[in-house]
Amino acid sequence: MVAFVNWSRNQSAAPAEVRTPASAAEVAQAVRDAARGGRRVRMVGSGHSFTGVALTDGIMLRPTALTGVLDVGDGWIKVAAGTPLHVLNDELDRRGLALANMGDITAQTIAGAVQTGTHGTGERIAAGLADQVVGLELVLADGSITTVREGDEGEAGDLFDAARVGLGALGVVTAVTLRVEPSFLLRGRRAPMRFSRVLESLDELTGQADHLDFYWLPHTDACLVKRNDRSPGPAAPPSSFRRWLDNEFLENTLFGAACALGARIPRVIPAINAISAKVLGSSECVDTSYKIFATVRRVRFLEMEYAIPREHLGQALREVRDLVERSGRPIGFPIEVRVAPPADAWLSTAYGRASAYIACHVYRPTPDPAYFEGVEEIMVRLRGRPHWGKLHTRDADYLGTVYPRFAEFVALRDRLDPHGLFANDYLDRVLGAPPGR
C-alpha cells in the first residue's frame, strides 16, 4: 500500500513498514532492525523534493514526532530533524533570533531541506541552509549515534563537511544545530524590468542587493525583480489585504486559473504571459526577515534547477530564451534566477564557486520532459550541478566531473554504509551503488 506521496505527486513509495520515531534512540533501533531484517531504511521529510531521494521499500521513518527546539545557546539553536521550517521561524522569532538567509518555501523539515541543499539567494550572505549548520546528530549504519560539529578535524571533520548536504546517504539526521543571529528587518522591493535590461545589468543587480531573485516570463521581455536588503526600520509590513492580494489571490488563485486555462488551451499561454507582463507592478515593504523570504505556493508544479558558475549566467539565460523561442513550446511558468557565494559542504551545489541558479517549472498536470531536456542540455554544457531535490537526469559519472570532492564523498559513504542500508534507486544513480550490494 502506498504510504508516501510527495507534494508534487510525482513520487510515491510503498514501504514494508512505517515508523514514527520520537528520539534518536528510536531511530537507531529502527536502523538496527532494518539491518537485521535485510531491509533498507530512509527518513522522509514533508515531500517537497521532486526526485526519489527520500523513497524506500524497507522501513520508512516519518519524523512527525521528532520535532521541536532541543537547545539554544549564544548564536546557535539545536532543533530536532523533523521540525518544519515555518515552525523553526516562529520559534526563532519568539526568541528574537533569525537565520541569516533562507529559501522561499517553509513547508520542508529542517533535515530534509539541509540534506538536499535548499538555498536562498544573495552573493554576499551564505545562501544555503547547509552553510548555516554548525552541528549534526546522525544515526550511522551500525546503529550508533554520533554528533559532528564545525571545527572537527580528521574523519569527524570530513563527515561534517560531507553530511551537511548528505542526501541521507551517510546516516539518518536526527538533529541539526544552526548558526543564528539577532532578528532583523528586510526591505522587500519588487519592480518590473525588461529582460533585455536585466541581461545588460546582471553584475549591477546581483552585486547591489543583499538578496536578489528575479523571474522571467517566457514569450515576453518582462521580468519581476525582487530585491531584499537589511533595513534599520521602522517596520512597514503590507496590510492584511495587500498580503492576501499578492500572496493568495494574484500568486495562487489567479495564477492557478491561468495555468489551468493554459493546460486546456496551450496556444493561449503566450497571450496570458503578455497580459501578466503588462500588469506587473512595483511594491515595497519592511518586515521581519522570514516574512519577506517566505512565499506561499499552492499551485502544484514540477521543477528542475541547476547551479552554474556565476560568470555563465548571462550566456545561460540567453540560450534558454533562444530555446523557448526556437522550440515554439508554450511555457507558462516564469523562470526563476538566484545567486549564491561559494560554499564548502562537499555536495553543495555552490561548492567552491560563486554560483547562479536557474529554475524551470511546469504545471503539474502538464509535464513537459522535452522542455526540461533542452534546458538541461544547456546547463550541462556549462558544467551545471542539479539541485538534489529537483528533477534531472544526471548520474554519478557526470556528477563526479563537476564536484571536486565527489569521489571522497562516495568513498566515505562506502566506508560508513558498505551494504547500502540507506540506499535507494535515486542514490544508486547519483552516487553509484555501494560495494556490498
Side-chain angles (χ1 to χ4, degrees):
M1 185 179 74
V2 172
F4 172 80
V5 179
N6 69 340
W7 178 82
S8 62
R9 299 172 183 162
N10 72 315
Q11 302 287 343
S12 62
E17 183 181 352
V18 177
R19 298 189 188 184
T20 55
S23 67
E26 292 183 9
V27 172
Q29 185 62 55
V31 169
R32 290 191 291 269
D33 290 347
R36 279 195 296 268
R39 293 175 173 175
R40 298 186 289 187
V41 59
R42 299 285 291 171
M43 181 180 282
V44 300
S46 62
H48 268 263
S49 287
F50 301 89
T51 66
V53 63
L55 305 184
T56 187
D57 56 3
I59 298 177
M60 176 174 284
L61 305 179
R62 304 299 300 261
T64 52
L66 198 63
T67 62
V69 174
L70 303 177
D71 200 4
V72 182
D74 184 14
W76 57 266
I77 188 168
K78 182 179 181 182
V79 294
T83 307
L85 286 173
H86 65 87
V87 173
L88 172 60
N89 284 333
D90 289 341
E91 290 291 341
L92 288 171
D93 190 50
R94 193 164 61 84
R95 293 169 169 83
L97 300 170
L99 295 170
N101 201 348
M102 59 185 301
D104 59 356
I105 303 295
T106 59
Q108 310 102 310
T109 62
I110 183 61
V114 167
Q115 287 293 281
T116 54
T118 296
H119 62 91
T121 184
E123 285 191 336
R124 298 187 292 270
I125 300 172
L129 283 177
D131 303 307
Q132 299 167 74
V133 170
V134 295
L136 287 174
E137 179 184 83
L138 305 102
V139 175
L140 303 181
D142 62 4
S144 63
I145 302 171
T146 189
T147 297
V148 290
R149 301 177 179 85
E150 185 178 55
D152 283 348
E153 298 181 352
E155 186 164 302
D158 286 347
L159 182 54
F160 174 76
D161 286 334
R164 277 182 288 155
V165 183
L167 314 182
L170 304 178
V172 180
V173 174
T174 51
V176 179
T177 304
L178 295 151
R179 183 182 298 109
V180 293
E181 58 182 86
S183 59
F184 57 93
L185 298 172
L186 283 177
R187 179 180 301 277
R189 293 173 292 161
R190 299 183 178 195
M193 182 179 290
R194 288 174 26 247
F195 184 50
S196 52
R197 172 60 181 151
V198 168
L199 290 174
E200 295 167 358
S201 55
L202 282 173
D203 290 341
E204 176 186 349
L205 286 171
T206 59
Q208 287 184 349
D210 289 338
H211 310 278
L212 177 81
D213 192 358
F214 68 85
Y215 298 82
W216 169 54
L217 286 169
H219 314 294
T220 78
D221 190 38
C223 289
L224 179 66
V225 178
K226 297 167 62 176
R227 300 177 180 90
N228 297 329
D229 294 287
R230 296 202 178 200
S231 171
S239 67
S240 297
F241 173 77
R242 183 73 197 197
R243 196 182 295 275
W244 170 85
L245 180 67
D246 288 342
N247 296 343
E248 290 291 346
F249 182 71
L250 294 177
E251 296 184 5
N252 286 284
T253 304
L254 191 59
F255 180 61
C259 288
L261 176 61
R264 288 195 300 271
I265 314 173
R267 68 177 183 274
V268 305
I269 287 176
I272 291 172
N273 287 4
I275 294 170
S276 299
K278 289 180 179 178
V279 300
L280 288 177
S282 298
S283 65
E284 183 172 329
C285 65
V286 179
D287 209 344
T288 308
S289 59
Y290 74 91
K291 295 179 182 178
I292 296 289
F293 285 134
T295 59
V296 178
R297 301 281 182 91
R298 304 199 195 283
V299 180
R300 295 181 193 269
F301 54 84
L302 300 171
E303 182 177 1
M304 180 180 70
E305 181 183 73
Y306 266 80
I308 58 173
R310 167 62 187 83
E311 62 269 23
H312 296 328
L313 177 57
Q315 176 186 348
L317 289 173
R318 289 181 176 90
E319 292 196 27
V320 171
R321 177 193 59 192
D322 293 345
L323 170 71
V324 171
E325 293 178 352
R326 185 175 64 250
S327 71
R329 311 189 73 82
I331 307 300
F333 259 80
I335 292 173
E336 182 181 17
V337 177
R338 292 178 286 177
V339 292
D344 57 6
W346 289 0
L347 293 190
S348 167
T349 47
Y351 179 84
R353 68 190 193 191
S355 299
Y357 293 92
I358 297 179
C360 299
H361 312 69
V362 295
Y363 188 41
R364 175 64 186 93
T366 55
D368 191 346
Y371 170 45
F372 280 2
E373 180 182 349
V375 174
E376 189 172 41
E377 188 278 328
I378 295 169
M379 301 304 154
V380 167
R381 207 164 6 87
L382 298 175
R383 296 185 56 77
R385 299 167 180 166
H387 189 298
W388 297 107
K390 300 179 184 180
L391 295 173
H392 67 94
T393 66
R394 299 300 90 193
D395 60 15
D397 288 342
Y398 171 80
L399 295 166
T401 68
V402 293
Y403 282 97
R405 310 297 291 271
F406 187 83
E408 292 170 79
F409 182 97
V410 173
L412 181 60
R413 188 279 309 264
D414 291 349
R415 290 199 304 274
L416 293 175
D417 186 20
H419 301 294
L421 189 67
F422 303 130
N424 62 17
D425 291 346
Y426 177 78
L427 294 184
D428 285 352
R429 172 165 67 87
V430 299
L431 299 178
R437 288 190 57 210

